[in-house]
Amino acid sequence: MGQVSDWYNINEGGKGQDIRQNLLGSILRIDINSGSPYGVPSDNPFAENQDDMKEIYAYGLRNPYRFSIDSKTGMIIAAYVGQVLSGQINVIRLADNYG
């Protein structure tokens, strides 16, 4: 419900669950000081797989729109749109699926 009828056939899971063709719904980690136009850290969860989007750090979020990184611990906290009337706040961890 609420999805375009052909979305899943095209994108193998759609939106935040698609790690092969779609960066939407994901937290990305890139290195702006290397590569062209940027590099990807070798410890990103999908960095070694040719079929996946190497930039993805964590995925499965529903429209992440704000996040913060704690300067002392490095913990990433993201806010995103939830289902119907609620939103969500999560601690973002490497390779986690929030879908």
Side-chain angles (χ1 to χ4, degrees), residues 37-55:
Y38 54 80
V40 174
S42 61
D43 62 342
N44 271 10
F46 306 108
E48 300 298 320
N49 190 335
Q50 295 292 67
D51 294 331
D52 296 336
M53 304 294 288
K54 298 170 181 9
E55 299 93 334

